[in-house]
Amino acid sequence: MDKRYELYCLTDTHFYDAPPATAETDFDICRRPLPDGWRQVPGDEWTVYVPPVQRAPFQGWKVHVSGCAESADKVLDHVWDYCVANGIEFKHLRGPAALRMRNAKYAPRGASGKLVTIYPAGDEELERVLTELGERVAGLPGPYILSDLRIGDGPLYVRYGGFAERRCLDERGQLVPAMETPAGELVPDRREPVFRVPEWVTPPRCLEPHLAARAATTTADLPYRIDRALHFSNGGGVYAATDTRTGETVVLKEARPYAGLAADGADAVERLARERETLRLLEGIEGVPRARDHFTLGEHHFLVQDFVEGRTLNTFFAERHPMLDPDPDPGRVAAYTAWALRVYEGVERVVHAMHERGVVFNDLHMFNVMVRPDDSVALIDFEVAAPAADNARQTLANPAFLAPPDRRGADVDRYSLACLRLALFAPMTTLFVLDRGKARQLADLIAEYFPVPREFLDEAVEEITRGTTPVLPSFSPDPPGWRRAREELRRAIVASATPGRADRLFPGDVEQFGGAALGIAHGAAGVLYALEQTGADRFPEYEEWLAARASDPPRGTGLGLFDGLQGVAYVLAGLGHVDAALAAAAHCLEEKWERLGTDLYGGLPGYALVLDHLADVTGEDALREPAARAAEIVAGRSAATDHSPRPGLLYGGAGEALMFVRRYERTGDPACLDHAAAALRRDLDACATDRNGALHVDQEHRVLPYLGRGSVGIGLVIDEYLAVRPDDERFTEARAAIRVAAASRYYAQPSLFSGRAGMLFYLARHDRHDPLVARHVRDLAWHALPYGGGLAMPGEHMYRLSMDLATGTAGVLLALGSALHDRPVGLPFLGPAHVPPVEASTAATSIQPERG
């Protein structure tokens, strides 16, 4: 689970949004006057200070200064005074809110603790900074920066990496921050929560004592041997270990000072102390692990607990939940129901026993329930448990079990238990963050499919929905139902629009804030495309908003078909904004686009497809040459690859194959189909078939059927390939197995790229009258939520609503339109009908692999 999503929930109650970057939220130091020649450059998260003479190299040893709420102002004062006086470039987090986010429990661990970054001009200046600034800030507290080498007792840290903004392709074909080897090759500058020195770099002598101190901190003297990591958060790790004195397996829970902050400001160390005290109060309750020991190592605190044999409750769904089957067997449904009720009774028993001891658990959810091999249960993670007499609110909680603000003390646990009753059968209780009235619809759904006592469900609904009026959305697979659904979805999309904002037009996924706010997947282009395709109206004001930004795109905007400007160009051309479309394409061609990956999402296949398309619709034949060059590069890289690290339509071989099939239709060159077949086979090699005969992309820890990264996306392109070369037995068999993957009763999310809408889109292309199509249309209402006088869909992880094409409302609108609209509806370059193969031409240019 991507923990960024929880951080992007802090600003808005309906939508994912970045923290506001305004002067009111900045540190006071931002308002200091700078000497002549210095420039202050505010960004969304950082404020950069550039000296009159820039001496920093492209890469080197950068200095990070750690800080917390108590020390931030003093750290910034010292850094500002030192760096400005010595002409050294530096940057700092803009304000206290950004610092809290960096140090929150589920913030990225590699970036935690960093308040300031300083860019010394070389090793000599590095040593002076560490010595002279180190004396000024010595003793000021801050979190340990896991990615760096600590200097003395902190708060200074160092890491070798890039200073300038350079990028290269990683092993997955994605553009990532880069640094340069002595041979001149750009390689990924990995920013992970572990200190590493590039193999070609020799640390300067001033770092030697600090490297030695780091090496001297080991677990060798402890009576515990760490065997494996069980879990990581920004607050610390959880490890399975062996007590070397007894041979017993135990759990070590780590807490980092000043890190892993909760809503009440408590850090991981404070919460670990609470957990130790709570476990002592609860000792002897069956289902509560015992606290055995505690110790400190290198300032990190550890609590030793009993090891609970078993698995967390959330891990059972993929193998047990009968709704994942296309046609659930009644016996499996009955067996699952009996098991789920038995697990619930065990959890309720432990929680009630805690209440009798005067303790509220405060953090009940699927990941904190362990199911033993005999189906008995235990609870884990007591760090936010509290005395019931405090009658307090939650300070940390899983969103699917987050109690509303009016629940305090034991009522928090009662609410979570009610959520558990429903989540065991319909694990969609995250929707309650947005609308607790949804509990009634989920209960009705459960009663329809499972032999659960109605009283069991009604009690849960009553507890969850106190003071709310349920809205029960429905979709109907007929013309009146389509018109009603289209209007409800359109109304919500329009109500969400923010044309006054410069950074985004429609709220969507958190990827909007990484350069994707204009594109098809997560930005304005995708929403406008879905509205136009489905006959849900045109909006000149919104189109002008997009056209203006396509002509002068914000820095960092993506370049590809789904992530950025190529997709914007495609949509604008379709809407008649030809000049803006060509301007967007021109921006893409001004970049070093040949370095892009071979993924359809943001890479070269999208370049080839869009540039050829724009040449067709605008008559700009000069675009055909870079389109052909992009295809040649993909062909060369494809020929040198024997596996797909990220299979599927957006990032894998299927995206390459789509480009090659469309290239074949344009040129008649059979080599294009050979490349397409090879790319599709690589993706199929990474797939597996389940017990129902459904084909999924196999990622070892999970299997994916979805349109974006799963087997259904591969199936879309297999359909296109078989339309022009129909005699491939492997592809024909795969298509049949992929259809089974699109036929499950339950999908966790509604989205086009990662949920039920993608299944609907796939099946509707085959046969709009398929009963499965009608079922998916109806069942998309399971996720629909009221917004703006209409209905909207939750986005990724379902913490907030989304309007974008990939994860939200626009994608569901497009999928429904593919099944119900009175004219064809498709995705770019994936229309509803197959184009007949063209005759081979003697004038066609054959795609040959790129020569190196």
Side-chain angles (χ1 to χ4, degrees):
M1 183 177 292
D2 188 338
K3 294 300 182 182
R4 290 179 303 164
Y5 286 84
E6 295 186 14
L7 298 177
Y8 279 87
C9 289
L10 300 177
T11 300
D12 192 289
T13 57
H14 287 102
F15 304 112
Y16 295 120
D17 206 347
T22 66
E24 289 74 22
T25 64
D26 288 350
F27 285 114
D28 290 341
I29 197 173
C30 293
R31 289 177 279 279
R32 276 198 193 184
L34 281 163
D36 290 343
W38 277 83
R39 288 186 297 120
Q40 183 191 71
V41 185
D44 289 341
E45 188 179 16
W46 296 89
T47 296
V48 181
Y49 296 83
V50 182
V53 178
Q54 290 185 261
R55 299 177 293 108
F58 285 140
Q59 63 193 47
W61 289 95
K62 61 180 69 176
V63 178
H64 289 122
V65 191
S66 177
C68 59
E70 295 83 359
S71 64
D73 288 334
K74 291 181 180 178
V75 166
L76 292 173
D77 283 342
H78 288 306
V79 169
W80 198 96
D81 290 343
Y82 182 81
C83 289
V84 170
N86 289 279
I88 303 173
E89 183 175 345
F90 68 101
K91 68 178 182 181
H92 63 75
L93 292 174
R94 287 197 62 164
L99 181 61
R100 283 195 301 272
M101 288 183 64
R102 282 266 170 163
N103 294 331
K105 181 173 182 180
Y106 291 114
R109 298 168 63 236
S112 175
K114 296 175 185 176
L115 172 61
V116 177
T117 303
I118 300 170
Y119 301 98
D123 290 354
E124 291 184 4
E125 187 164 80
L126 169 70
E127 185 171 4
R128 287 198 300 273
V129 170
L130 297 181
T131 301
E132 296 168 3
L133 179 61
E135 292 174 354
R136 301 189 188 193
V137 298
L140 293 177
Y144 195 109
I145 300 176
L146 297 173
S147 60
D148 287 24
L149 172 67
R150 189 179 192 182
I151 304 302
D153 294 329
L156 298 188
Y157 296 77
V158 298
R159 182 181 78 84
Y160 189 94
F163 291 6
E165 190 173 314
R166 296 190 287 181
R167 295 186 177 270
C168 69
L169 296 175
D170 67 5
E171 64 277 3
R172 302 178 302 172
Q174 298 299 293
L175 280 174
V176 297
M179 52 186 172
E180 188 175 346
T181 70
E185 179 187 5
L186 289 180
V187 297
D189 180 4
R190 304 191 187 280
R191 300 172 182 188
E192 300 168 336
V194 61
F195 175 67
R196 289 195 178 96
V197 180
E199 59 183 16
W200 71 86
V201 174
T202 300
R205 293 188 62 181
C206 65
L207 298 184
E208 290 177 357
H210 309 291
L211 288 165
R214 176 186 177 87
T217 302
T218 72
T219 61
D221 295 331
L222 295 176
Y224 305 103
R225 183 186 68 245
I226 294 178
D227 299 320
R228 67 185 189 277
L230 301 176
H231 172 69
F232 285 110
S233 76
N234 195 22
V238 181
Y239 309 91
T242 299
D243 187 328
T244 56
R245 298 162 297 189
T246 65
E248 293 178 284
T249 301
V250 295
V251 168
L252 302 185
K253 188 168 183 180
E254 175 189 26
R256 301 175 53 223
Y258 311 107
L261 302 180
D264 61 353
D267 69 0
V269 172
E270 184 176 344
R271 292 198 307 277
L272 194 71
R274 294 178 189 169
E275 180 163 8
R276 190 177 83 195
E277 181 60 30
T278 297
L279 292 179
R280 287 176 175 168
L281 288 173
L282 300 177
E283 189 167 344
I285 293 178
E286 173 59 30
V288 176
R290 179 168 52 99
R292 293 171 170 241
D293 190 10
H294 67 278
F295 60 89
T296 302
L297 178 67
E299 297 185 12
H300 290 199
H301 295 240
F302 290 83
L303 176 63
V304 185
Q305 305 178 18
D306 286 342
F307 178 84
V308 180
E309 185 181 2
R311 294 156 52 193
T312 56
L313 181 53
N314 67 293
T315 64
F316 284 85
F317 284 98
E319 64 191 48
R320 287 198 183 220
H321 203 285
M323 296 291 284
L324 298 176
D325 297 343
D327 188 17
D329 174 70
R332 287 194 74 231
V333 173
Y336 178 85
T337 301
W339 174 82
L341 292 174
R342 189 162 59 248
V343 167
Y344 175 80
E345 290 168 0
V347 174
E348 187 179 58
R349 189 181 309 116
V350 178
V351 171
H352 285 172
M354 292 176 58
H355 289 180
E356 290 174 354
R357 298 268 184 105
V359 175
V360 179
F361 187 45
N362 265 335
D363 196 19
L364 177 64
H365 58 79
M366 298 286 192
F367 296 84
N368 282 350
V369 176
M370 295 291 293
V371 181
R372 299 186 179 101
D374 64 358
D375 287 346
S376 64
V377 302
L379 301 185
I380 58 174
D381 199 354
F382 290 76
E383 64 180 43
V384 293
D390 289 354
N391 202 37
R393 289 173 53 181
Q394 287 174 297
T395 57
L396 279 174
N398 181 288
F401 294 79
L402 174 64
D406 65 329
R407 312 299 168 91
R408 294 174 174 270
D411 275 354
V412 170
D413 285 351
R414 294 187 187 102
Y415 179 89
S416 298
L417 284 168
C419 291
L420 183 61
R421 290 191 184 200
L422 303 185
L424 281 162
F425 300 95
M428 298 156 56
T429 57
T430 306
L431 296 173
F432 301 165
V433 174
L434 297 163
D435 178 18
R436 285 185 285 125
K438 201 69 177 176
R440 170 54 60 196
Q441 190 169 18
L442 294 191
D444 292 343
L445 163 67
I446 294 166
E448 180 181 352
Y449 288 103
F450 294 92
V452 180
R454 188 72 214 203
E455 183 181 11
F456 179 85
L457 301 173
D458 289 342
E459 289 173 353
V461 172
E462 183 177 355
E463 175 64 43
I464 293 166
T465 61
R466 279 192 224 166
T468 65
T469 302
V471 175
L472 306 180
S474 65
F475 293 142
S476 178
D478 51 46
W482 161 235
R483 290 190 292 271
R484 184 173 63 252
R486 179 175 61 185
E487 175 58 23
E488 289 175 329
L489 297 171
R490 184 199 70 83
R491 195 178 297 135
I493 289 171
V494 173
S496 76
T498 55
R501 286 181 63 156
D503 61 335
R504 68 136 194 247
L505 178 55
F506 300 102
D509 192 72
V510 302
E511 292 296 333
Q512 288 189 329
F513 305 101
L518 304 185
I520 288 179
H522 302 297
V527 178
L528 296 177
Y529 175 82
L531 291 169
E532 189 278 332
Q533 281 276 300
T534 59
D537 216 345
R538 294 276 300 273
F539 298 89
E541 178 188 6
Y542 303 157
E543 293 175 17
E544 291 297 335
W545 186 99
L546 180 61
R549 281 153 184 81
S551 301
D552 185 18
R555 182 182 179 186
T557 298
L559 302 177
L561 171 57
F562 283 106
D563 73 335
L565 290 176
Q566 290 288 6
V568 173
Y570 176 90
V571 171
L572 286 174
L575 295 173
H577 300 271
V578 174
D579 290 344
L582 291 174
H587 281 294
C588 296
L589 293 174
E590 290 169 359
E591 301 290 336
K592 296 178 180 179
W593 56 268
E594 294 95 338
R595 296 181 179 181
L596 292 175
T598 57
D599 59 290
L600 184 66
Y601 181 78
L604 295 173
Y607 264 65
L609 288 165
V610 173
L611 293 176
D612 269 332
H613 173 74
L614 290 178
D616 290 342
V617 299
T618 68
E620 294 286 340
D621 288 339
L623 298 174
R624 299 195 190 280
E625 181 179 346
R629 175 60 180 156
E632 288 170 3
I633 295 172
V634 175
R637 294 182 190 167
S638 182
T641 302
D642 60 3
H643 73 289
S644 290
R646 302 176 74 191
L649 177 66
L650 295 184
Y651 302 101
E656 298 175 29
L658 177 63
M659 180 204 70
F660 287 125
V661 170
R662 295 291 174 248
R663 195 90 183 146
Y664 167 76
E665 292 167 351
R666 179 176 296 280
T667 67
D669 179 7
C672 293
L673 291 187
D674 295 338
H675 287 304
L680 287 169
R681 290 188 185 108
R682 289 200 308 270
D683 272 10
L684 290 178
D685 288 343
C687 291
T689 304
D690 68 12
R691 65 174 183 272
N692 296 304
L695 192 71
H696 301 271
V697 167
D698 185 0
Q699 292 191 330
E700 295 184 0
H701 62 291
R702 62 177 180 172
V703 294
L704 300 179
Y706 301 118
L707 186 153
R709 302 168 189 250
S711 55
V712 161
I714 300 170
L716 287 170
V717 185
I718 285 177
D719 290 343
E720 302 295 331
Y721 178 90
L722 291 175
V724 293
R725 187 183 276 177
D727 56 351
D728 192 299
E729 183 177 354
R730 184 182 184 189
F731 293 165
T732 302
E733 292 175 353
R735 176 159 65 179
I738 290 168
R739 185 183 185 280
V740 181
S744 292
R745 293 290 179 93
Y746 172 78
Y747 295 95
Q749 300 190 130
S751 68
L752 183 64
F753 282 9
S754 300
R756 187 185 297 276
M759 309 298 134
L760 172 60
F761 181 84
Y762 175 73
L763 293 171
R765 294 177 85 240
H766 290 184
D767 180 5
R768 297 175 73 172
H769 302 291
D770 185 338
L772 291 174
V773 168
R775 193 178 77 196
H776 282 323
V777 168
R778 287 190 292 266
D779 291 350
L780 275 168
W782 294 358
H783 288 86
L785 296 161
Y787 179 78
L791 292 174
M793 292 289 168
E796 192 75 11
H797 297 310
M798 302 194 296
Y799 301 161
R800 293 292 186 268
L801 298 175
S802 169
M803 299 299 167
D804 71 32
L805 187 82
T807 71
T809 308
V812 170
L813 174 64
L814 190 81
L816 290 170
S818 72
L820 302 172
H821 193 35
D822 55 9
R823 64 180 174 87
V825 172
L827 279 166
F829 308 107
L830 277 167
H834 300 299
V835 180
V838 299
E839 295 291 329
S841 169
T842 55
T845 302
S846 177
I847 292 181
Q848 298 297 329
E850 181 186 25
R851 302 301 178 188

